[in-house]
Amino acid sequence: MTTNEETVSQEKQQELLEKYDPEAATRKLAGKMGWIVFFGLLAFSVFQLYTSIFGILTAQLQRSIHLGFALALIFLLFPARKKNLKVKKVAWYDLLLAVIAVAVGAYWPVMIDELVNRVGRLTPTDFYIGIAAILLVLEATRRTVGLPITIIAALFMVYALYGPYMPGFLAHRGLDLESLVQTMFFTTEGILGTPLGVSSTFIFLFLLFGAFLVKTGVGQYFNDLAVAVAGKSTGGPAKVAIFSSALQGTISGSSVANVVTSGSFTIPMMKKLGYRKEFAGAVEAAASTGGQLMPPIMGAAAFLMVEFIGGGITYWDIAKAATIPALLYFTGIWIMTHFEAKRIGLRGLSDEEMPDRKEVLRKIYLLLPILIVIILMVSGMSIMRAALWSILSTIVVSAVSKETRIGFRDAIDALVDGARTALGVAAATAAAGIIVGVVTKTGLGLKLANGLLDLSGGYLIPTLMLTMLAAIVLGMGSPTTANYVITSTIAAPAIILLGIPDLSAHLFVFYFGIIADITPPVALAAFAAAGVSGGEPLRTGVNSAKLAIAAFIIPYMFVLSPELLMIDTTWTYLIWVVFTAISGMLAIGAGIIGYWLRKLFWWERVLGIVGGIMLIYPEGMTDIIGLGLFVLLVALQIIIKDKDSVKPKTAN
């Protein structure tokens, strides 16, 4: 197989990750400090595994120890400024911050009896430890996930303190500093709240699962499997990118990381066969971003959703509900890339460029751990137990072949890598806890929900559009986990107040928080893809948003028609809704790209887009009109022959 000849180097991949993914921008420590960090990360994973096997500690203990580990390691690994990234020594002030972080993390375990007996009365020491915890979380969040979410968390605390001076419906009686500190660190409503609780249990274990999967070489296997399945079809490399990125999403919770790892393989292939740089990057960015939407293992925010919705909902309920929307998302990108390939006449891969299919099928056993996750969750096993058994199954399955076998050193490295990946999530969820704590204490969530309804006039579509804008804007500057916490707290309630099911409302904000990664002007995933392809970043972002047009439509579909989430529906109706949705995406894709059976005239493109929107909107009359326009568009392409329109050029 020759498709690996032009893959992006490891050095280039790391450079792009450090540039576009703050969580990857860490020091390369050596010597004694390198070993200290190594064993610190290892101890972090061992602690998490121990408590998940033998029973987690009480909420305050589990979460504070988790926080202490994360904060201390963040200050050792992440420099205060990116320009110091190449400096291999840890600054004295970072060492000091790491020591203080250890003290903060140990405070609850050491003082738990006194803290429980005092029941909310803070001593001066408590107060200063609480202040330190807040400041450390804000600084750690700034270093790992960026400034925007840090500013938002700080503004929420300012809002809590200065409530009486706020305008209009935002006014509240306010909190004094001591009450705020108590809420933030000495209850489970602030930093040690639900978001960090999910990070210290479910999310950490699934990040470990992903790290163990990587050690088996499953990432490269996803690429080979995608090439074997889609490589020879029209525009094969683009479809390989879509298929591969959907699979990569099961082991990577980061759009940027997915782009860089998968894109270093697929983007050079696409360019080699004739795709424009910007289009090649856009395909990978759109597909990689969708990886977080793909069950069975979705983005970290999906685990938060279990706790935020409550009411007995399980992670499997969420994964099951997200299945059809995720398939529609990737179907939409597949359709668009297929039409673009036909428009410019791109071929698939040649036989020489294809992998040995027998060899690919021989390694199909590498997918067994993912299948085991699904089976265990469907059977009703808890998320933590399912994750533990999945890690164990990965080790067992890897032993089938010498080239995939996980040895002792590989297992240690996986534990270290998994803990390293968890640092940014821990910081983001701790900062999100600050926001949740303020919302809980001030009643801001309901106030903003009512304000949003007033602004939209109480109508569903305007409310959805305002919520979409909020989620996208927040998502441009914050990780998915923090974005979801904010929007699910202040925006999702507005949708729920209009009678929409909780699951639909929460998935709505979840989707748009993720899509922000490919929405200009920020579009971090698209910018990372442009770094791989050599294309113009903003143009790559525009192309990726265009390719992922389905992602901007699907959330509206499952809010207006919850049957797409398999909520209170019949199989007959579900099949009909999926059929009209795919037909609609075909028509819209043809309209946007300008090609289907042949090149389309401008008025045919308008016909396709209008008909597609009609088909996607879940109403009987709109479906009838949309199907009529769909049939008309197909008939026109058959009747008006190719000679009446400009034929596409064939790539060399």
Side-chain angles (χ1 to χ4, degrees):
M1 180 180 175
T2 62
T3 49
N4 279 330
E5 291 174 0
E6 299 178 28
T7 54
V8 177
S9 68
Q10 289 286 339
E11 292 78 11
K12 178 68 172 177
Q13 290 181 42
Q14 186 59 36
E15 180 185 328
L16 289 169
L17 280 172
E18 291 176 359
K19 184 175 181 180
Y20 294 108
D21 186 358
E23 295 179 43
T26 61
R27 294 183 177 104
K28 307 299 180 290
L29 298 173
K32 291 181 180 179
M33 189 53 64
W35 283 109
I36 288 171
V37 170
F38 178 86
F39 284 112
L41 291 167
L42 181 60
F44 193 10
S45 284
V46 170
F47 164 74
Q48 294 291 155
L49 284 173
Y50 179 84
T51 54
S52 60
I53 293 170
F54 297 103
I56 61 171
L57 308 175
T58 60
Q60 290 94 335
L61 295 183
Q62 180 78 20
R63 298 170 191 181
S64 62
I65 295 173
H66 179 82
L67 180 68
F69 266 118
L71 292 178
L73 290 164
I74 285 169
F75 291 120
L76 294 177
L77 277 169
F78 292 80
R81 290 179 292 181
K82 272 196 173 183
K83 70 177 186 179
N84 296 333
L85 202 57
K86 301 301 180 185
V87 179
K88 295 186 178 182
K89 290 184 178 180
V90 178
W92 67 267
Y93 50 82
D94 285 336
L95 285 171
L96 178 61
L97 290 173
V99 171
I100 297 172
V102 171
V104 166
Y107 196 71
W108 262 102
V110 172
M111 302 293 292
I112 185 166
D113 291 335
E114 290 188 34
L115 290 172
V116 170
N117 290 334
R118 284 201 293 268
V119 194
R121 290 180 289 107
L122 301 186
T123 65
T125 304
D126 295 341
F127 178 77
Y128 291 121
I129 286 289
I131 289 287
I134 293 170
L135 294 176
L136 289 175
V137 165
L138 292 176
E139 174 59 10
T141 303
R142 183 191 69 81
R143 294 189 186 196
T144 54
V145 295
L147 195 57
I149 184 61
T150 309
I151 293 173
I152 292 170
L155 288 176
F156 267 76
M157 286 194 293
V158 171
Y159 171 77
L161 292 170
Y162 294 95
Y165 306 102
M166 294 295 160
F169 71 90
L170 291 175
H172 63 95
R173 67 181 183 179
L175 299 175
D176 59 53
L177 185 58
E178 184 173 326
S179 297
L180 182 63
V181 170
Q182 180 188 346
T183 300
M184 288 300 114
F185 192 65
F186 295 97
T187 72
T188 53
E189 294 178 349
I191 291 171
L192 303 181
T194 298
L196 189 66
V198 175
S199 172
S200 66
T201 51
F202 314 146
I203 295 176
F204 194 100
L205 289 179
F206 273 99
L207 291 175
L208 275 184
F209 175 45
F212 274 89
L213 278 176
V214 168
K215 288 299 176 184
T216 67
V218 73
Q220 181 57 47
Y221 180 70
F222 285 156
N223 291 333
D224 292 342
L225 181 62
V227 173
V229 171
K232 291 184 73 71
S233 62
T234 302
K239 293 172 182 175
V240 168
I242 297 167
F243 189 21
S244 173
S245 295
L247 293 171
Q248 289 281 4
T250 63
I251 60 173
S252 169
S254 166
S255 302
V256 173
N258 201 350
V259 165
V260 173
T261 53
S262 181
S264 65
F265 172 79
T266 59
I267 290 174
M269 274 201 303
M270 285 187 269
K271 287 169 60 182
K272 185 179 178 182
L273 290 190
Y275 277 103
R276 292 174 287 114
K277 294 177 182 178
E278 289 79 12
F279 193 86
V283 170
E284 182 57 52
S288 290
T289 299
Q292 292 189 68
L293 305 171
M294 192 69 183
I297 306 170
M298 302 162 66
F303 295 99
L304 287 169
M305 205 179 298
V306 176
E307 302 296 322
F308 275 54
I309 295 178
I313 194 168
T314 65
Y315 180 78
W316 176 246
D317 293 328
I318 293 169
K320 182 177 70 173
T323 299
I324 292 176
L327 292 175
L328 290 176
Y329 174 88
F330 284 103
T331 299
I333 301 174
W334 188 286
I335 288 167
M336 299 277 277
T337 53
H338 178 74
F339 287 157
E340 173 71 6
K342 289 185 67 177
R343 186 181 71 82
I344 59 178
L346 295 183
R347 65 175 176 85
L349 296 173
S350 64
D351 289 336
E352 292 75 24
E353 295 168 310
M354 290 288 290
D356 184 339
R357 288 184 173 175
K358 289 183 179 179
E359 182 66 18
V360 172
L361 288 175
R362 187 181 67 81
K363 293 184 181 179
I364 197 74
Y365 64 86
L366 288 174
L367 300 183
L368 276 174
I370 297 172
L371 180 62
I372 288 170
V373 170
I374 299 172
I375 293 171
L376 292 178
M377 288 195 292
V378 170
S379 69
M381 182 177 287
S382 70
I383 299 175
M384 287 183 64
R385 287 293 166 186
L388 280 171
W389 281 108
S390 300
I391 292 170
L392 181 61
S393 71
T394 304
I395 297 171
V396 172
V397 166
S398 75
V400 171
S401 170
K402 185 178 180 180
E403 59 184 324
T404 63
R405 189 170 301 142
I406 296 176
F408 178 76
R409 182 54 199 251
D410 290 328
I412 296 297
D413 287 343
L415 291 172
V416 170
D417 292 343
R420 191 188 302 267
T421 307
L423 298 180
V425 176
T429 51
I434 292 175
I435 295 166
V436 173
V438 172
V439 169
T440 302
K441 293 295 286 187
T442 62
L444 180 62
L446 188 58
K447 290 177 181 180
L448 287 176
N450 287 326
L452 196 61
L453 288 177
D454 289 341
L455 192 60
S456 65
Y459 293 102
L460 180 58
I461 297 298
T463 301
L464 293 176
M465 293 179 71
L466 290 171
T467 303
M468 174 189 74
L469 289 173
I472 289 176
V473 170
L474 285 168
M476 289 178 181
S478 59
T480 308
T481 45
N483 178 305
Y484 168 72
V485 169
I486 299 169
T487 51
S488 65
T489 304
I490 66 177
I495 303 174
I496 294 168
L497 286 173
L498 292 175
I500 301 302
D502 289 14
L503 185 53
S504 297
H506 282 261
L507 278 173
F508 185 88
V509 298
F510 175 69
Y511 252 73
F512 283 113
I514 289 172
I515 293 167
D517 282 346
I518 52 170
T519 305
V522 179
L524 286 179
F527 279 39
V532 178
S533 70
E536 201 279 315
L538 190 57
R539 194 174 298 166
T540 303
V542 171
N543 275 309
S544 63
K546 184 173 73 172
L547 281 172
I549 189 68
F552 293 89
I553 299 171
I554 290 168
Y556 287 89
M557 291 169 58
F558 61 64
V559 167
L560 296 170
S561 182
E563 291 83 3
L564 271 176
L565 303 180
M566 293 185 260
I567 297 175
D568 298 329
T569 188
T570 63
W571 281 106
T572 305
Y573 185 72
L574 186 62
I575 291 169
W576 172 252
V577 171
V578 172
F579 167 73
T580 57
I582 293 176
S583 300
M585 285 191 289
L586 272 168
I588 289 175
I592 291 175
I593 298 297
Y595 196 93
W596 191 346
L597 303 178
R598 58 167 172 76
K599 187 174 180 180
L600 302 182
F601 297 107
W602 69 266
W603 50 271
E604 289 178 309
R605 297 177 71 169
V606 172
L607 190 69
I609 292 171
V610 172
I613 292 172
M614 290 284 189
L615 277 168
I616 284 171
Y617 189 83
E619 289 288 340
M621 184 55 67
T622 57
D623 283 349
I624 292 171
I625 296 171
L627 276 174
L629 295 175
F630 181 88
V631 172
L632 176 61
L633 181 61
V634 175
L636 285 170
Q637 290 179 89
I638 295 171
I639 294 169
I640 302 175
K641 304 298 182 183
D642 283 349
K643 65 181 180 180
D644 295 320
S645 62
V646 181
K647 290 185 178 180
K649 295 178 181 179
T650 302
N652 294 326

